[in-house]
Amino acid sequence: MKEIVMDRGNLLLVHGAWHGSWCWDLLVPELAARGWTPSVVGLPSASGSPSAGVREDAEAVREAIDALDGPVTVLAHSYGGVPVGEGAEAADRLIYLAAHLLEPGESVVSPLGGAWYEPGTKLLDVPEPARDLLFADVPDEHAAWAVERLRPQSAWSFEEPVTAAAWQSVPTTSIVCAEDVAFPSLFADRLRARGALELPGSHSPFPGTARSARRADHSRMIANVTSISTFTPSSAM
């Protein structure tokens, strides 16, 4: 008997720093098989342009949402939570996957006490060792594929303060990665304080979806997000 797959609507995937829309390539077919209509967006801050920041990234997110018909769930990974918070007010639901949850007036570096890199830096090199920091649980072949595609990140995207927080008005689900050694604990604690779910894997687990057990965990949790806990303005304060 053929399995009936529920139509879950649009799922816009927003990558984090140093990544690109390519990072979702292995996960997209799994999400489609579970009823989502997935799409991706590339952020200008990871394009090699030192002038691109939160404003440009947020505009890319807005345009991607506006291009979709019907309800839109937005999944933000890591830094992707920053432009999503800034520009995804039109979304119907948000998913923060090990993503930065910022209050208006904050930047990525301000809650951490300031930048960890030299003043005046324009582009941030890929953190090393990228394999261990981002893809520790990913099979070697897929980790190598991902590391080769990482690109420098605009430092301004980490320094520019946000002016909005879509998660304050849009129902939001948060997820932390159990084996994440890259995501600052301060930001992980913010997600846990709002009832975060836990996903097995490292900071960027999606290339590891080639491993069947992890693929099932990742796609099942994301696919079922409409039935799991969210935080709203009343529960987030």
Side-chain angles (χ1 to χ4, degrees):
M1 183 177 179
K2 186 176 180 180
E3 180 183 0
I4 298 176
V5 179
M6 180 176 69
D7 181 1
R8 300 177 188 272
N10 295 299
L11 180 62
L12 177 65
L13 304 169
V14 184
H15 65 82
W18 299 287
H19 292 60
S21 58
W22 53 262
C23 72
W24 305 108
D25 285 358
L26 295 175
L27 188 59
V28 162
E30 296 295 329
L31 295 171
R34 293 182 179 274
W36 289 104
T37 302
S39 58
V40 300
V41 59
L43 299 180
S45 65
S47 69
S49 171
S51 63
V54 174
R55 183 180 64 180
E56 289 78 12
D57 290 343
E59 185 58 31
V61 171
R62 288 191 191 96
E63 290 178 358
I65 293 172
D66 289 345
L68 298 173
D69 293 326
V72 179
T73 295
V74 179
L75 187 154
H77 173 246
S78 196
Y79 164 78
V82 180
V84 165
E86 181 76 10
E89 65 280 347
D92 296 274
R93 183 181 293 269
L94 306 176
I95 307 171
Y96 271 58
L97 172 60
H100 296 77
L101 190 80
L102 299 185
E103 299 277 357
E106 289 185 327
S107 67
V108 170
V109 299
S110 62
L112 301 174
W116 64 90
Y117 46 86
E118 290 294 324
T121 299
K122 299 299 184 182
L123 286 174
L124 299 174
D125 290 334
V126 175
E128 295 291 349
R131 169 73 158 93
D132 297 336
L133 290 172
L134 303 174
F135 311 111
D137 65 320
V138 175
D140 290 342
E141 177 185 356
H142 298 287
W145 172 86
V147 169
E148 287 177 358
R149 286 162 174 77
L150 297 173
R151 294 293 181 267
Q153 178 74 19
S154 160
W156 175 234
S157 66
F158 288 174
E159 300 164 2
E160 185 177 8
V162 301
T163 63
W167 56 268
Q168 293 181 343
S169 58
V170 180
T172 302
T173 297
S174 56
I175 302 172
V176 295
C177 297
E179 299 151 42
D180 194 338
V181 298
F183 194 46
S185 58
L186 180 151
F187 291 117
D189 289 344
R190 288 188 180 188
L191 299 182
R192 289 191 177 97
R194 291 163 172 81
L197 301 161
E198 190 168 282
L199 180 74
S202 53
H203 183 61
S204 299
F206 11 90
T209 54
R211 185 178 297 174
S212 59
R214 290 290 169 89
R215 177 177 66 232
D217 287 335
H218 299 172
S219 58
R220 184 182 302 112
M221 179 172 284
I222 295 169
N224 293 336
V225 70
T226 54
S227 63
I228 56 183
S229 60
T230 62
F231 62 86
T232 57
S234 60
S235 62
M237 303 302 290

